Amino acid sequence: MAKILEGPAMKLFNKWGIPVPNYVVIMDPERLMQLGEANKWLRDSKLVVKAHEAIGGRYKLGLVKIGLNLEEAYEAAKEMIGREIGTAVVRQVIVAEMLEHDAEYYVSIAGNRDGAELLLSNKGGVDIEDNWDTVKRLFIPLDETPSLEKLTETAADAGFTGEVAERVAKIASRLILCFDNEDAQSIEINPLVIRKSDMRFAALDAVMNVDWDARFRHADWDFKPVSEIGRPFTEAEQQIMEIDARIKGSVKFVEVPGGEIALLTAGGGASVFYSDAVVARGGTIANYAEYSGDPADWAVEALTETICQLPNIKHIIVGGAIANFTDVKATFSGIINGFRASKAKGYLDGVKIWVRRGGPNENQGLAAIKKLEDEGFDIHVYDRTMPMTDIVDLALKA
């Protein structure tokens, strides 16, 4: 799953007939003034400026400014671009036409293993969570499309009346088309409004997740996914994502700047377990990583090399629970090759490696990785009898 930002999502809405305000996405405030010369709506409309990043609570952080003229929007963009919020940096803003409206509505769709679920409410906006009891749901089975009559009925159940219910149904039908044809996994419009100027609907905000592995089907996808941790993916993260899309099994990698303990862990549960254990004991992690589902050894090798190149690390924990079907010998072959290649490139000087693993062919795998001691690696190897968190304690006390 890959999250895309509001601008690309609105572009897809336009493609499928879901109205949106006029908008531009800029990285340089000077570009806004240039665009203002070419676009009358920027000169004549009240404007909204929002940080165009995956940052939650933008309004409370001062990253949303409303009711501005062009010059004020320029100043707001200058103020936001380059601002640091935690580990995130605001690199771009979206400037949109501010649409006068009264009521705010909520429309979303999310996929599940049996199909998808459409959600409607006539009480959208920032208070939707407080009005969650007003949300009405319509289950859509796989390979089925609900009729306009059924969608209108659901809209009426959600509190929409008369012509508005019919128009909401049409918006919902277009949202379903967008969802199905753009390989989306979830889409949320909050708020959906009726603008006073012409009484047409418009989606003022968009949250969209797509199946990034399906991008080969979409020649017009000119965007990149965004990380859920409030910053763009790094080059290393994108490289591992590309590998993950090509293999059986899975490899994952997220950088955490400033940490001293790198994690090369097997399985999603164990990966979170080790991350929590390091932090709970006062350590700092340099990354989140996992390999699972018996991935190819070359993929694990690439993940290993990526982790070895993290800056300022003092320890690498190669950890995991007891695997059911991931071949420890095969995956350790990739890890061993990755360690050797990294050492040959000048990495791993002064880095201690801690290994704890169990599973199919564990004895052969552990014996092979232990031989790295003979090649000058500072490596400490333990089998399934070692409690999982003990190598964290050993690393922190080393």
Side-chain angles (χ1 to χ4, degrees):
M1 182 172 72
K3 183 175 182 177
I4 63 175
L5 291 172
E6 184 177 345
M10 285 187 167
K11 184 177 180 180
L12 294 178
F13 283 3
N14 258 329
K15 177 181 174 181
W16 293 102
I18 301 170
V20 298
N22 290 313
Y23 71 93
V24 293
V25 176
I26 59 165
M27 300 179 69
D28 181 354
E30 301 302 328
R31 178 61 61 87
L32 179 61
M33 302 308 290
Q34 295 169 353
L35 288 167
E37 295 177 10
N39 293 274
K40 188 174 185 294
W41 68 267
L42 278 169
R43 300 192 303 271
D44 295 349
S45 304
K46 289 294 185 181
L47 303 173
V48 179
V49 180
K50 296 182 279 188
H52 196 237
E53 306 287 351
I55 299 173
R58 290 179 296 176
Y59 192 86
K60 292 181 179 179
L61 291 168
L63 297 176
V64 177
K65 304 290 185 181
I66 62 175
L68 310 178
N69 59 33
L70 181 58
E71 289 72 24
E72 291 168 335
Y74 168 79
E75 293 298 329
K78 281 181 62 177
E79 176 188 329
M80 291 183 197
I81 293 174
R83 182 175 166 189
E84 296 183 2
I85 305 295
T87 61
V89 178
V90 178
R91 293 177 172 84
Q92 52 187 356
V93 298
I94 183 168
V95 182
E97 178 185 13
M98 183 175 174
L99 303 181
E100 289 192 35
H101 61 276
D102 291 323
E104 297 186 335
Y105 310 131
Y106 176 87
V107 184
S108 72
I109 184 170
N112 55 50
R113 61 188 302 172
D114 299 314
E117 190 172 45
L118 177 73
L119 280 66
L120 301 175
S121 172
N122 68 345
K123 297 187 182 300
V126 295
D127 295 325
I128 182 60
E129 292 183 3
D130 294 333
N131 294 300
W132 201 247
D133 58 326
T134 67
V135 172
K136 300 302 177 184
R137 303 167 183 265
L138 174 64
F139 173 67
I140 305 170
L142 287 172
D143 299 322
E144 292 188 18
T145 301
S147 65
L148 273 176
E149 290 76 15
K150 184 63 179 176
L151 292 171
T152 303
E153 180 183 323
T154 305
D157 290 342
F160 298 97
T161 59
E163 181 188 356
V164 173
E166 296 175 1
R167 294 173 63 192
V168 168
K170 289 179 180 178
I171 292 291
S173 70
R174 295 171 187 173
L175 187 69
I176 294 168
L177 281 173
C178 179
F179 178 84
D180 288 340
N181 287 280
E182 298 295 340
D183 286 295
Q185 295 179 322
S186 66
I187 309 175
E188 180 183 84
I189 300 174
N190 186 35
L192 176 71
V193 303
I194 299 176
R195 49 191 179 188
K196 288 184 176 181
S197 60
D198 57 10
M199 302 307 291
R200 294 182 63 208
F201 272 111
L204 296 193
D205 202 354
V207 177
M208 188 169 181
N209 292 283
V210 298
D211 179 0
W212 192 240
D213 293 342
R215 61 191 181 278
F216 67 92
R217 290 198 285 260
H218 302 280
D220 62 341
W221 280 13
D222 56 357
F223 51 80
K224 292 183 178 180
V226 294
S227 166
E228 294 288 349
I229 56 176
R231 60 162 174 76
F233 286 114
T234 66
E235 182 178 349
E237 289 166 346
Q238 290 185 58
Q239 290 172 350
I240 297 301
M241 288 172 63
E242 292 291 337
I243 293 172
D244 185 56
R246 292 159 49 196
I247 62 170
K248 175 182 76 74
S250 179
V251 288
K252 308 290 185 189
F253 174 74
V254 178
E255 294 184 45
V256 182
E260 295 184 345
I261 299 181
L263 301 174
L264 178 50
T265 41
S271 301
V272 174
F273 184 85
Y274 275 109
S275 301
D276 287 349
V278 171
V279 174
R281 285 160 169 74
T284 55
I285 60 173
N287 68 292
Y288 170 86
E290 67 170 271
Y291 61 91
S292 58
D294 203 21
D297 58 354
W298 65 266
V300 179
E301 179 179 345
L303 177 63
T304 302
E305 286 197 59
T306 300
I307 289 169
C308 290
Q309 294 173 25
L310 289 167
N312 304 317
I313 57 173
K314 296 181 179 179
H315 305 272
I316 297 176
I317 292 178
V318 182
I322 301 172
N324 291 317
F325 58 88
T326 296
D327 189 318
V328 174
K329 178 183 176 183
T331 52
F332 270 26
S333 173
I335 292 172
I336 291 166
N337 290 337
F339 281 154
R340 284 174 173 156
S342 298
K343 189 174 180 67
K345 295 174 183 176
Y347 298 102
L348 298 181
D349 288 346
V351 176
K352 298 180 183 295
I353 301 170
W354 306 86
V355 181
R356 189 274 185 195
R357 191 69 168 117
N361 296 317
E362 67 181 272
N363 291 334
Q364 298 96 314
L366 292 170
I369 202 168
K370 188 172 177 61
K371 289 181 179 178
L372 289 177
E373 284 182 322
D374 301 332
E375 301 175 30
F377 288 84
D378 189 351
I379 189 166
H380 311 267
V381 181
Y382 304 92
D383 62 16
R384 66 172 69 197
T385 62
M386 166 70 79
M388 289 177 65
T389 55
D390 279 13
I391 59 170
V392 175
D393 294 326
L394 291 171
L396 291 174
K397 294 174 182 177

